Amino acid sequence: MSTTDITTAEVAIDDDPTTDRPAKFERIAALLDARGADALQLTSAENLAWFFDGARVTVPLGGPSVFTATVHRSGRIQVAAFAHELDRIAAEELTDAGGRIEFTPVPWHSPLPAGEGPGERLRDVDVDVADELRAARASLLPLERRRFTRLGADLARAATRILNLAHPAETERELAARAVAEVVALGAEPVVLLVAGESRVHHRHPLPTDLPLGSRAMLALGARRHGLVASLTRWVDFGQPGDGAASATALDPRERALLAVEADAFAATRPGRALGEVLSDIAVSYDRHGLGADAWLGHHQGGPTGYLGRDPRATPGARELVVSGQAFAWNPTVRGRKVEDTVIVDDDGCGDRTVTVLTVDPDWPTVEVNGLARPVALRPADH
């Protein structure tokens, strides 16, 4: 009989190994073998960051990559980079490639190469190849897991600091500015930053405004470090002062129901299942817990995460399979309520499954749901 353990992440303190690129090359080699190809050109930010161990591959946040890399079956790597970026990339981003990289400068006014060349060469922009590379990225390697665990803990602690300093008169933009400063101080980049005060919590994607927070506010953060994206959502409630403690009986009924939906999402995320099947279970869960049969249609529910915030977003009929060692960020939501954390799902192959929450700060108030400590609204004692 299968069992499921749900835990919070232990943050490793040992030094990272230099690279896990050999294992990634094996995954690429398997793709090349299956296609009878000689080389694979990587152009997208997520694929380049994955293969090069979290290298920073763009200049504008969220912009296009400033270099491409062609990985050959022989192990040879050719990098074409804009000439004005090449020195920095070689010195700061691609320093551990063991001399196997051949660099080619490209004038700033010319396009990066699009994959032309002798031999059979695959490109990650081709739809079927993109799907196969997404599958290759899905199961996290040991170095990736350690980095993701540290990022999750750092981001959760940052959210606690941000919201412990919040007050009702503060504007959404002021809180957002402190959030950006915290994320950058972690050596990370903000990729999602949503803030909603009392008057705007009904919006599903509340970009910050100059309105005050009022009695209740939400902060949703996504941060990228070493190429990996961790996501969380937290709430602060100034209307019911307290000491930060929480209990299930004090929760709004919709909040309790939403936490139950999230628990069902975790239970449905089992290796071997298609994302569309998992989403179907989540949709049914909304109705089962009294939130309405169509409630899941009000907002996307999240999905796998890693080198993209959602990799991919779960949609009806999605065929991508859940695999052991994969990260997820489900975000069940109804009007005025949302819950979100980043987790890793593992399966030992014998039916025992573990869901490990990465975005955890022990100082944040929680309630227990199906054996798992889940975050509830912070109620600062000094407001």
Side-chain angles (χ1 to χ4, degrees):
M1 181 175 181
S2 68
T3 61
T4 300
D5 293 324
I6 305 181
T7 66
T8 56
E10 294 290 335
V11 180
I13 58 174
D14 57 307
D15 291 336
D16 284 338
T18 303
T19 180
D20 54 18
R21 195 171 308 129
K24 293 169 182 173
F25 177 76
E26 287 181 7
R27 295 180 183 181
I28 288 178
L31 191 159
L32 293 173
D33 289 343
R35 297 297 198 91
D38 298 323
L40 170 66
Q41 187 187 43
L42 304 177
T43 64
S44 72
E46 62 270 21
N47 286 323
L48 289 164
W50 168 72
F51 185 68
F52 288 110
D53 302 315
R56 295 172 296 178
V57 303
T58 69
V59 174
L61 298 182
S65 54
V66 294
F67 67 92
T68 67
T70 300
V71 182
H72 294 261
R73 184 192 300 274
S74 64
R76 181 167 151 246
I77 303 169
Q78 294 174 295
V79 166
F82 289 120
H84 60 288
E85 302 284 0
L86 196 149
D87 287 350
R88 179 186 60 82
I89 290 169
E92 297 180 352
E93 305 300 336
L94 308 183
T95 58
D96 61 347
R100 305 186 77 175
I101 295 182
E102 301 170 12
F103 289 98
T104 300
V106 177
W108 63 264
H109 54 80
S110 298
L112 292 171
E116 299 85 356
E120 188 66 30
R121 183 173 299 188
L122 302 178
R123 300 185 306 162
D124 65 355
V125 294
D126 298 328
V127 173
D128 49 354
V129 177
D131 290 343
E132 292 178 47
L133 279 169
R134 179 182 289 119
R137 295 194 304 267
S139 184
L140 296 168
L141 292 160
L143 172 59
E144 295 173 306
R145 290 180 70 108
R146 280 193 283 274
R147 287 176 167 174
F148 223 163
T149 297
R150 291 167 178 161
L151 173 59
D154 286 348
L155 187 64
R157 287 192 289 264
T160 302
R161 290 192 296 270
I162 294 162
L163 291 176
N164 263 321
L165 293 174
H167 55 85
E170 184 176 35
T171 70
E172 295 171 347
R173 284 199 174 102
E174 288 170 335
L175 188 145
R178 288 193 292 106
V180 169
E182 284 278 358
V183 169
V184 172
L186 298 178
E189 301 166 352
V191 295
V192 173
L193 178 55
L194 305 176
V195 180
E198 177 186 10
S199 65
R200 300 180 65 245
V201 294
H202 59 285
H203 291 307
R204 303 304 177 105
H205 285 158
L207 298 176
T209 72
D210 285 326
L211 290 172
L213 299 182
S215 66
R216 184 167 175 267
M218 181 197 81
L219 170 67
L221 269 179
R224 177 187 289 114
R225 191 171 68 191
H226 297 300
L228 296 161
V229 179
S231 305
L232 59 75
T233 296
R234 296 292 185 264
W235 293 81
V236 60
D237 188 346
F238 304 109
Q240 301 183 53
D243 58 3
S247 69
T249 57
L251 298 182
D252 177 275
R254 289 177 300 162
E255 190 174 1
R256 284 200 301 271
L258 207 57
L259 290 170
V261 171
E262 185 197 47
D264 288 346
F266 292 151
T269 309
R270 300 190 297 275
R273 301 193 77 203
L275 282 181
E277 294 178 298
V278 178
L279 182 61
S280 260
D281 286 358
I282 295 171
V284 170
S285 178
Y286 275 88
D287 197 28
R288 181 167 62 252
H289 295 294
L291 295 172
D294 294 332
W296 69 281
L297 294 171
H299 188 273
H300 75 82
Q301 301 302 304
T305 188
Y307 290 89
L308 290 170
R310 298 296 185 268
D311 195 15
R313 181 183 294 178
T315 56
R319 295 178 296 176
E320 291 87 354
L321 298 181
V322 177
V323 299
S324 182
Q326 188 171 16
F328 287 83
W330 296 114
N331 50 247
T333 177
V334 292
R335 187 179 175 88
R337 296 288 187 277
K338 181 184 176 186
V339 60
E340 177 186 26
D341 272 304
T342 303
V343 307
I344 295 178
V345 175
D346 290 299
D347 192 315
D348 67 358
C350 299
D352 291 334
R353 193 172 60 96
T354 303
V355 177
T356 304
V357 184
L358 302 185
T359 40
V360 172
D361 178 5
D363 291 334
W364 189 270
T366 61
V367 296
E368 187 172 303
V369 181
N370 287 8
L372 175 64
R374 301 306 300 127
V376 295
L378 180 71
R379 294 172 180 170
D382 57 345
H383 293 295

